[in-house]
Amino acid sequence: MKLASTTTSAGATGSGWVLLVAAVLVSGLLLAGPALRRRHPAAWWLLLGFPVAAFRVMRTWRPLMAGCGLAVSRRPALTVVSGLVGNGAPPPQPRVPRRGLIRPTSGGFVLLVRLLPGQVPEAFVKAGPAMAEDWEVHAVRVTSWKPGVVRIVASASDPLAAPRVPKQRGPGHLLRVAVGVLETGTAWVVDLRRVPHWLIVGATRSGKSTLINALVAGLAPQDVALVGIDCKGGMELSLYGPRLSALATNREQAVRLLAALVDLTLDRMSVCRAARVRNVWGLPDKERPVPIVVIVDELAELFLVASRSEKGEAQAAGTALIRLAQLGAALGVFLVVAGQRVGSDLGPGVTALRAQLGGRVCHRVADPGTAEMALGDLNPDALKAAQAITPEQAGTAVLASGDGWERARSHLITEAEAEAVAAEYAHLTPVLSELHVEAP
């Protein structure tokens, strides 16, 4: 008896110490919470924010599903039998969709939900604002994961409010650049090997130039050739002059440069055919030609026709761009085409070119037709999200590809920073004599 009493006392003492240590740790985290949140937001979220948010989800799941019309009542007969057998006991609770494990992300959480028979993902999409309100998070986005399952992604705060430029060491992966942050808090990465051609649209001061700055700043340290076409006299792309292998500043130069790029692409095709490979990435490293990223700023300047004499130039430029888009991905030539306004009224070549540009980025635009041209053929939900961007949300964009769509914001790279990057990596600029565009 004495031994049992001693053991019980020791167990109680041990439990008391565990509770005391736990209380001290929790108190310390609560006191240090504000400072931890400012200096190390990711650590604060994992230690404090996420556990609280996960508890809210578990506590509110059943009433939230019922309130949003996502719970399914039991069969009426079962309710009657329950009342008879249970002597007036309350009827069984309605069925709710089965929730999976709540997993934390860097700034939120994600969970999968299995739909009940007869339910569709659209019903959960409509319930997104109610979920965000009940769980006290910034936003909730619902997407279809696979048949019968939806994926719920919650963001604790707005990661697009002040995106931070990541610390990049070295050139990174070839043709892959982190240009900003997604709404989920993860990095916005433009990978030209995966999505080779991009269309970027946006009105003045919407963030279009900032995105191009971020892209060029990330490509500058890499072993690639950058080629610019800026028919507004080079006002935008001349910032990167020291890092550009060629720059066309009017449509006449642009037509010659694009024709030279097409010839270069056809030459690479002959090299691949002789080596019996399907693309330049199948060539040995020493024989592989340098990748070329062609940046076109203000597409409308290439296609607009003021007189009949300019029609031939515009058609030649459009035809060359379409050929580069069709052939370039396999031959190491990539397109980034930007414009304030892009519409079918610029000519049939614009619609044909748009079809070849698999990556789309839409900032705030001045007319709905441009947003329709950029996103309408990919995803109607992305189009609605782009049309909701306000002038106060400069830099915010909707990006879409065949994989889906996201809201994102590019890192702020100033003109001075862009010039500094171009000068720092000017020694990496490949000399491509075949792209000489000066007047003969």
Side-chain angles (χ1 to χ4, degrees):
M1 291 292 293
K2 184 176 182 180
L3 179 60
S5 176
T6 303
T7 304
T8 303
S9 176
T13 303
S15 300
W17 276 107
V18 170
L19 292 175
L20 178 61
V21 171
V24 171
L25 289 176
V26 171
S27 301
L29 287 174
L30 291 175
L31 292 174
L36 185 64
R37 187 172 189 175
R38 288 194 304 270
R39 299 180 182 180
H40 305 284
W44 172 88
W45 172 248
L46 292 176
L47 292 173
L48 287 175
F50 171 70
V52 173
F55 175 75
R56 288 197 193 103
V57 174
M58 292 184 289
R59 180 175 58 84
T60 64
W61 184 253
R62 180 174 289 276
L64 177 61
M65 294 296 100
C68 294
L70 299 175
V72 177
S73 299
R74 305 284 181 174
R75 289 180 298 178
L78 182 60
T79 302
V80 173
V81 170
S82 173
L84 293 175
V85 175
N87 296 323
Q93 293 288 331
R95 295 173 62 196
V96 297
R98 192 171 66 186
R99 169 179 50 78
L101 184 67
I102 307 172
R103 293 179 287 112
T105 62
S106 59
F109 57 87
V110 59
L111 66 149
L112 299 179
V113 178
R114 182 168 294 279
L115 277 60
L116 295 175
Q119 291 184 332
V120 293
E122 286 73 15
F124 286 80
V125 173
K126 293 180 180 178
M131 296 179 190
E133 188 71 21
D134 273 21
W135 300 339
E136 299 182 24
V137 294
H138 168 69
V140 168
R141 183 177 172 195
V142 183
T143 56
S144 180
W145 182 250
K146 62 180 182 179
V149 179
V150 294
R151 183 171 185 257
I152 297 178
V153 179
S155 301
S157 58
D158 187 3
L160 307 185
R164 294 178 294 177
V165 180
K167 295 180 180 179
Q168 182 172 336
R169 297 179 180 179
H173 297 285
L174 186 65
L175 297 170
R176 190 171 185 269
V177 178
V179 297
V181 64
L182 300 177
E183 190 176 28
T184 57
T186 57
W188 173 11
V189 176
V190 173
D191 189 345
L192 295 176
R193 289 287 301 275
R194 190 174 64 86
V195 182
H197 307 308
W198 286 80
L199 173 65
I200 302 172
V201 299
T204 302
R205 297 187 179 277
S206 66
K208 175 170 56 68
S209 297
T210 300
L211 174 56
I212 294 176
N213 287 348
L215 181 61
V216 174
L219 290 171
Q222 302 185 17
D223 186 18
V224 301
L226 301 176
V227 173
I229 296 177
D230 182 1
C231 291
K232 295 187 298 183
M235 290 190 301
E236 296 288 342
L237 299 185
S238 59
L239 293 173
Y240 320 115
R243 187 58 183 86
L244 298 179
S245 295
L247 174 63
T249 59
N250 57 55
R251 187 159 55 191
E252 182 182 356
Q253 290 182 354
V255 170
R256 291 200 301 272
L257 178 55
L258 289 170
L261 284 165
V262 171
D263 292 340
L264 180 147
T265 303
L266 296 177
D267 290 342
R268 293 185 174 188
M269 185 184 298
S270 300
V271 171
C272 291
R273 185 168 58 247
R276 297 183 180 276
V277 296
R278 302 183 65 178
N279 53 57
V280 295
W281 311 110
L283 297 171
D285 292 346
K286 294 183 179 179
E287 299 178 15
R288 184 183 305 134
V290 62
I292 301 175
V293 181
V294 182
I295 303 170
V296 181
D297 189 56
E298 199 47 67
L299 181 66
E301 292 295 326
L302 279 177
F303 282 89
L304 282 175
V305 176
S307 63
R308 183 174 300 179
S309 61
E310 296 180 350
K311 188 174 182 180
E313 278 188 348
Q315 290 179 342
T319 301
L321 277 174
I322 294 171
R323 295 194 69 187
L324 288 175
Q326 291 174 336
L327 303 174
L331 302 169
V333 179
F334 308 91
L335 293 180
V336 177
V337 179
Q340 294 184 36
R341 188 178 63 85
V342 178
S344 57
D345 59 307
L346 297 180
V350 173
T351 303
L353 176 63
R354 187 274 306 266
Q356 300 293 331
L357 305 177
R360 314 284 177 79
V361 179
C362 183
H363 297 82
R364 179 183 57 83
V365 293
D367 64 294
T370 296
E372 178 72 31
M373 175 66 76
L375 303 174
D377 63 324
L378 289 182
N379 194 301
D381 292 333
L383 177 59
K384 294 177 183 177
Q387 292 172 335
I389 299 175
T390 64
E392 292 74 24
Q393 296 174 307
T396 300
V398 172
L399 60 137
S401 66
D403 299 331
W405 68 276
E406 298 277 359
R407 288 180 75 249
R409 186 176 181 182
S410 57
H411 300 308
L412 177 60
I413 306 293
T414 64
E415 294 181 358
E417 291 171 336
E419 289 181 324
V421 169
E424 181 180 358
Y425 297 104
H427 63 284
L428 298 179
T429 305
V431 177
L432 301 176
S433 57
E434 57 267 51
L435 300 185
H436 190 66
V437 297
E438 294 297 331

